Amino acid sequence: MKSPSANTLHSKKVWEGLYKYLLNKPIGVPHPFDAATKLEDNPDPQSSVYFESCLNSWDYVCAAMQPRNIFDPSDAAPQIDEEKLSSSLKELLYKRLAWPLLDWFLHEVRKKQYLIEEEIDSHMSSWEATGDIDSVATMLSRVLQLWEAWAKHTPWFNRYHVDGVLTFRRHCMVHLNAYAPLNFRDALRQLIVSTLSPDSSEERNQKIFHDIGSLGLIADQEHLITGVVKGHIANRVQETCAGAWNEPKWTELKQWFDETLQPWLNIAYIRDWMAPPDVQAMLEPVAAKYQWHMCEAMCSLRISEIFDIIVDYPESSPALLDLRECLFQTGQRREVVESLRSSTKKRLLHPGADTKDIITQYISTIRCLRILDPQGSLLFSVADPIRKYLRARPDTIRTIVQSLVDPNSEFVAGEDEVKPLQDTQWMHDDYADFSWMPEPADAEPEFRTTRATDIISTLVSIYDSRDLFVKELQVLLAKRLLEARNEDHEAEVRNLEILKLRFGDAPLQVCDVMMKDITDSRRSNQQIQTAVNADGDQLPVQTTIISRLFWPPIPSSSLVMPGQLRKLQESYARRFNTHKPDRKVRFMSNVGTVSLNIELSDRTLDLDVTPLQAAVIELFSAKDIWFTDDLAKELGGIDIPTLDKALEFWIDQGVLKSLPDRQYQLLEVAEEGAQAPRLPKPAVPEEPMVNEAEKAEAEKMRVFWQFIQGMLTNFPSLPLDRIHAMLRLAPNYDRTKEQLAAFMEDLKREGVVDFRDGSWRLIRRG
């Protein structure tokens, strides 16, 4: 390898000495090129001249690049010849003095950073004292002016592969971020928020974001700008959409985004130096990000209101359509389920809610969630707790059945036509259905895609068996037929035909028998009345003759009708026996209506009352004052609470008067200044017909008690499912698991069995 020559080593020493000298030499200090500054053994006679030229160029360039306070006239820069400055810079940069010059420049900038600090302290103090956010904008503008004045000549370095502009900016940004006070972030946030105000002009916004971007704060505070925009979007969604469900709002929000927020984003993110392709490439993901945030805010708002939206359905249909579109983009399906289940449990599934209200809300939930998710995954997750709660309520079946026979019921509103009940449990895939979709990814394991069924089919599917509804329908029809005041039963006939379309003809054959009894009773009444009229007598009695084996059990009573009421019954019985000798009438005195015309000394009353109330007032026609016990005895030993209820009715009508020692007196003449009619005391409810039906079902279940007792004797404990499965092997067992559970609860109340740890066990007696 060739060793370096003496001249090469000498040149290296020259440049090392020049570099050290220039860095430590103050500007403007004379620098005679004497022996102290000359390098020894300089073989090149031109070195001194060369060295002197570099020093002169260095001084001139440094004088021009020296950082100054542009806001102080006394610190003005000297007159600079741009042509000489350009040649001097070229000389220094050509002779590879770019890095020493840049190091000196940054060192001088560090000395002048106190000017930046003074600007920050002054304007931040003004903002804290007055709250004027324009002070922060002024601070950023003045800091940027200092930076731009100091960086005027830094682009020259880039020509010689030294990035002076970037190095200077990094140097200043590090100092700015290090010196910024703790509340600088809050001040910057408020400044950005102020640009979103309608009062902020476009010119002001452009100036503010130009200063923020030029100071490098856009990149460093990107999360801050994102938070401000997201908060602004959330506030806009809350202000314009909260509680507004009767008109679409998502389209309005997208229009607001395009007309208001998109121009703001253009100002905040676009810079003058960006080429059109770069602008498009940057704005598209930014706009998409904030549109997604707006969609998420809209979706979260509607999810928080979902329970009230369902309550307000169908007026809230536009809100559901908005939510459906947002859910498709954000995928917040799980949040819908959790919010709705929580609200339903808190506001609906509690003892204070009426069963009809629960079912109405359940129906609205079905219709609304079908809009959001036609496949039914959301409905399956939300409806399961409601169905379980309704199944546990004793009056659910009765409420549903009453809605079936009511043409104005809210349950059947919106149903275009009456359809047979559909099976909602398991449905095979229909390969001819071109609208088939796979199950959603977030569907629960038990979920199976099913066809959309009508509301009534969904309500009936709450229970495993339709027999419960058929029996309740029979009870309700019997009650309506017995309570009918006229002979027109067209409504019942129409309802029965509708029910046949839903449940089929076979389950409702018993109802046909009941309707036939009503028709036969009407015909018998007409024949008996014709015979009575032919004899010149009067018999104001109309009866409904029922076939006992085909009607639900009717509550029995020991009531015996007194006086003329008994005579009317006996007269009708004789006439009926004459008309149909092979049949005998047994009156059920506790069922029906009696039309009375009561003539007192000073007034006449026309009332429609129950048979018991008519029997009570009939006794007072024979004697004015009665003891309660005597009345009960005369009426066949009827229970006292039921009798008190009938007596209170006549007291409220001003016909009877209560006396001490549980005596009651007939008021032939109304007392002057008599007390106003009292509100009736809480009545002891009569045993409803449905309870009799339930008792009859319980008695039928008693047949299988021996089987259950044998199971629990052989096995210490069994769960309900196991008992039900084993009973299916017994002959004629066709009960549902719910009916078996009700029977086991009755046995538990009787002290025969016990339920612990999810299993039933036999209570063994000593």
Side-chain angles (χ1 to χ4, degrees):
M1 180 176 178
K2 183 179 179 181
S3 60
S5 62
N7 289 339
T8 302
L9 295 176
H10 175 71
S11 299
K12 183 178 180 181
K13 291 182 179 181
V14 170
W15 287 114
E16 288 178 353
L18 179 61
Y19 180 76
K20 294 178 181 179
Y21 174 78
L22 292 176
L23 284 181
N24 298 319
K25 172 185 173 301
I27 300 174
V29 176
H31 45 85
F33 193 76
D34 52 16
T37 61
K38 291 180 182 179
L39 297 176
E40 297 179 355
D41 302 326
N42 183 6
D44 188 358
Q46 300 296 326
S47 294
S48 59
V49 178
Y50 188 81
F51 198 12
E52 183 69 19
S53 174
C54 288
L55 293 177
N56 292 334
S57 298
W58 179 276
D59 284 346
Y60 198 79
V61 171
C62 289
M65 295 184 64
Q66 176 67 37
R68 303 179 186 278
N69 185 2
I70 60 174
F71 305 117
D72 183 6
S74 62
D75 193 18
Q79 190 70 24
I80 298 297
D81 184 355
E82 294 296 333
E83 185 176 350
K84 182 179 179 181
L85 176 62
S86 176
S87 61
S88 299
L89 274 171
K90 288 181 180 180
E91 180 181 2
L92 294 178
L93 298 178
Y94 178 75
K95 294 178 179 179
R96 300 181 181 180
L97 292 177
W99 278 112
L101 182 61
L102 184 59
D103 288 343
W104 168 85
F105 174 67
L106 296 179
H107 179 71
E108 295 299 318
V109 168
R110 283 193 291 271
K111 292 181 181 179
K112 292 293 185 178
Q113 288 294 349
Y114 74 91
L115 297 175
I116 304 293
E117 297 171 2
E118 289 177 355
E119 293 291 340
I120 294 175
D121 293 339
S122 173
H123 291 88
M124 289 297 293
S125 299
S126 175
W127 170 69
E128 291 177 351
T130 63
D132 185 9
I133 197 63
D134 288 335
S135 300
V136 180
T138 303
M139 174 194 71
L140 298 179
S141 177
R142 291 173 66 89
V143 169
L144 180 61
Q145 291 180 46
L146 289 173
W147 282 19
E148 291 176 344
W150 296 347
K152 180 179 180 181
H153 301 291
T154 53
W156 279 89
F157 293 92
N158 293 58
R159 300 180 182 180
Y160 297 90
H161 308 291
V162 177
D163 198 342
V165 176
L166 182 60
T167 304
F168 170 77
R169 285 178 56 83
R170 287 177 177 174
H171 181 83
C172 293
M173 288 166 59
V174 168
H175 178 267
L176 178 62
N177 291 326
Y179 186 77
L182 296 177
N183 59 350
F184 180 76
R185 178 185 176 86
D186 295 334
L188 190 59
R189 178 187 290 107
Q190 289 192 22
L191 181 62
I192 297 173
V193 170
S194 70
T195 61
L196 290 167
S197 172
D199 299 331
S200 182
S201 63
E202 183 178 349
E203 292 75 12
R204 177 178 180 271
N205 294 346
Q206 290 176 343
K207 180 66 170 63
I208 289 175
F209 281 106
H210 173 267
D211 295 346
I212 293 176
S214 299
L215 293 175
L217 298 177
I218 287 288
D220 293 341
Q221 303 295 336
E222 172 67 22
H223 57 287
L224 179 62
I225 298 177
T226 300
V228 169
V229 178
K230 288 177 63 177
H232 183 67
I233 291 174
N235 292 336
R236 176 70 182 187
V237 171
Q238 183 70 28
E239 292 172 0
T240 60
C241 303
W245 308 323
N246 57 351
E247 57 180 345
K249 289 294 183 180
W250 179 239
T251 304
E252 178 182 336
L253 281 177
K254 291 191 292 185
Q255 183 179 359
W256 167 81
F257 186 94
D258 295 337
E259 295 178 354
T260 303
L261 196 59
Q262 185 65 55
W264 184 91
L265 294 176
N266 296 342
I267 295 174
Y269 285 90
I270 295 178
R271 298 292 170 264
D272 297 337
W273 48 268
M274 292 183 180
D278 297 335
V279 171
Q280 187 70 15
M282 185 191 67
L283 279 182
E284 284 184 357
V286 170
K289 177 180 70 172
Y290 290 124
Q291 285 178 347
W292 189 91
H293 286 313
M294 183 174 68
C295 187
E296 182 187 35
M298 179 67 169
C299 195
S300 299
L301 174 64
R302 289 294 182 247
I303 289 175
S304 66
E305 301 173 330
I306 185 65
F307 187 88
D308 297 308
I309 291 175
I310 293 175
V311 172
D312 203 40
Y313 182 83
E315 287 75 12
S316 59
S317 297
L320 291 171
L321 297 177
D322 288 345
L323 179 57
R324 181 178 65 182
E325 185 173 352
C326 295
L327 275 178
F328 180 77
Q329 299 185 43
T330 63
Q332 295 175 272
R333 295 164 57 92
R334 178 52 51 186
E335 287 78 357
V336 174
V337 173
E338 293 175 354
S339 174
L340 194 50
R341 292 184 70 160
S342 175
S343 300
T344 301
K345 182 179 179 180
K346 181 179 179 181
R347 301 174 58 179
L348 191 67
L349 304 184
H350 56 81
D354 186 68
T355 301
K356 184 177 181 181
D357 295 336
I358 297 176
I359 298 177
T360 301
Q361 180 70 2
Y362 176 44
I363 292 173
S364 298
T365 301
I366 294 172
R367 291 169 174 162
C368 292
L369 293 186
R370 282 178 179 174
I371 295 176
L372 298 181
D373 177 30
Q375 290 181 274
S377 173
L378 296 180
L379 178 60
F380 179 84
S381 302
V382 172
D384 189 55
I386 305 177
R387 293 168 64 89
K388 290 180 179 178
Y389 186 82
L390 286 173
R391 196 178 299 127
R393 280 217 168 190
D395 58 340
T396 300
I397 297 178
R398 191 180 315 149
T399 305
I400 296 175
V401 169
Q402 289 174 353
S403 70
L404 291 177
V405 299
D406 184 3
N408 298 322
S409 173
E410 298 177 359
F411 297 176
V412 296
E415 299 290 338
D416 297 333
E417 57 180 336
V418 179
K419 302 177 182 177
L421 294 180
Q422 303 174 14
D423 185 11
T424 61
Q425 297 299 321
W426 170 257
M427 297 184 180
H428 298 285
D429 291 335
D430 184 4
Y431 296 101
D433 184 9
F434 292 99
S435 62
W436 177 88
M437 293 290 289
E439 295 179 1
D442 58 351
E444 296 186 10
E446 299 83 5
F447 170 75
R448 293 295 182 271
T449 303
T450 59
R451 298 191 303 267
T453 58
D454 64 321
I455 296 300
I456 298 300
S457 298
T458 305
L459 293 178
V460 173
S461 68
I462 292 176
Y463 296 87
D464 296 334
S465 175
R466 299 177 185 176
D467 295 340
L468 299 174
F469 289 91
V470 173
K471 295 183 184 303
E472 186 65 33
L473 282 169
Q474 296 171 5
V475 172
L476 181 61
L477 180 61
K479 182 179 178 181
R480 292 168 70 97
L481 291 175
L482 293 177
E483 292 178 351
R485 297 298 312 277
N486 51 36
E487 297 182 355
D488 185 10
H489 299 93
E490 291 184 3
E492 283 71 21
V493 173
R494 183 177 63 255
N495 290 334
L496 182 58
E497 294 300 322
I498 293 175
L499 293 174
K500 286 182 180 180
L501 292 176
R502 294 190 183 278
F503 291 91
D505 293 338
L508 297 177
Q509 287 180 352
V510 174
C511 297
D512 289 333
V513 175
M514 289 191 288
M515 293 299 302
K516 185 177 182 300
D517 287 344
I518 297 298
T519 304
D520 293 344
S521 299
R522 185 187 309 169
R523 187 181 303 111
S524 297
N525 288 329
Q526 291 175 353
Q527 292 173 354
I528 292 174
Q529 290 297 332
T530 301
V532 169
N533 295 335
D535 295 341
D537 295 334
Q538 291 185 350
L539 186 59
V541 177
Q542 297 287 331
T543 62
T544 299
I545 302 171
I546 65 174
S547 303
R548 181 174 57 86
L549 297 178
F550 293 91
W551 284 65
I554 298 176
S556 60
S557 174
S558 60
L559 174 63
V560 176
M561 303 302 288
Q564 59 179 334
L565 297 176
R566 185 192 304 173
K567 293 179 181 179
L568 288 174
Q569 288 182 343
E570 294 172 350
S571 176
Y572 187 90
R574 288 193 302 269
R575 292 285 185 177
F576 184 82
N577 192 31
T578 302
H579 180 61
K580 293 186 177 182
D582 57 337
R583 300 180 67 180
K584 182 180 179 180
V585 174
R586 182 173 63 86
F587 283 96
M588 307 181 73
S589 300
N590 60 321
V591 181
T593 304
V594 180
S595 298
L596 295 180
N597 179 264
I598 303 175
E599 295 182 358
L600 301 172
S601 298
D602 61 343
R603 62 197 186 280
T604 300
L605 300 177
D606 292 320
L607 298 172
D608 292 330
V609 298
T610 65
L612 176 59
Q613 293 167 351
V616 169
I617 203 63
E618 170 66 17
L619 290 176
F620 278 93
S621 65
K623 187 170 65 173
D624 290 347
I625 299 177
W626 286 83
F627 284 93
T628 304
D629 294 338
D630 295 338
L631 287 171
K633 182 187 255 186
E634 289 290 332
L635 295 175
I638 193 168
D639 59 285
I640 298 300
T642 304
L643 179 58
D644 288 340
K645 181 180 177 181
L647 290 169
E648 288 176 2
F649 171 78
W650 291 115
I651 292 174
D652 292 338
Q653 298 298 324
V655 177
L656 298 183
K657 175 183 179 182
S658 177
L659 299 176
D661 300 328
R662 296 187 63 79
Q663 296 184 80
Y664 294 88
Q665 179 183 2
L666 178 66
L667 296 177
E668 283 285 351
V669 179
E671 295 180 342
E672 295 183 3
Q675 59 182 2
R678 298 178 301 172
L679 291 175
K681 297 179 181 178
V684 178
E686 297 181 359
E687 194 171 9
M689 191 180 301
V690 68
N691 287 348
E692 291 291 336
E694 292 174 356
K695 288 183 179 180
E697 288 296 327
E699 290 300 324
K700 293 180 182 179
M701 286 294 297
R702 293 279 176 185
V703 177
F704 304 101
W705 163 237
Q706 296 298 329
F707 294 95
I708 299 174
Q709 187 178 20
M711 295 178 202
L712 298 180
T713 301
N714 296 326
F715 300 95
S717 62
L718 288 174
L720 184 66
D721 293 338
R722 182 76 180 277
I723 298 174
H724 183 61
M726 296 174 69
L727 279 176
R728 287 182 175 177
L729 302 177
N732 300 324
Y733 180 79
D734 57 354
R735 301 297 186 267
T736 64
K737 191 164 60 175
E738 286 76 15
Q739 291 173 313
L740 176 61
F743 178 63
M744 297 299 291
E745 289 292 339
D746 293 338
L747 295 177
K748 180 181 177 182
R749 285 191 289 269
E750 295 174 6
V752 179
V753 296
D754 188 21
F755 183 76
R756 265 184 296 168
D757 301 328
S759 298
W760 292 94
R761 63 193 68 215
L762 198 63
I763 297 179
R764 304 183 185 275
R765 305 294 180 181

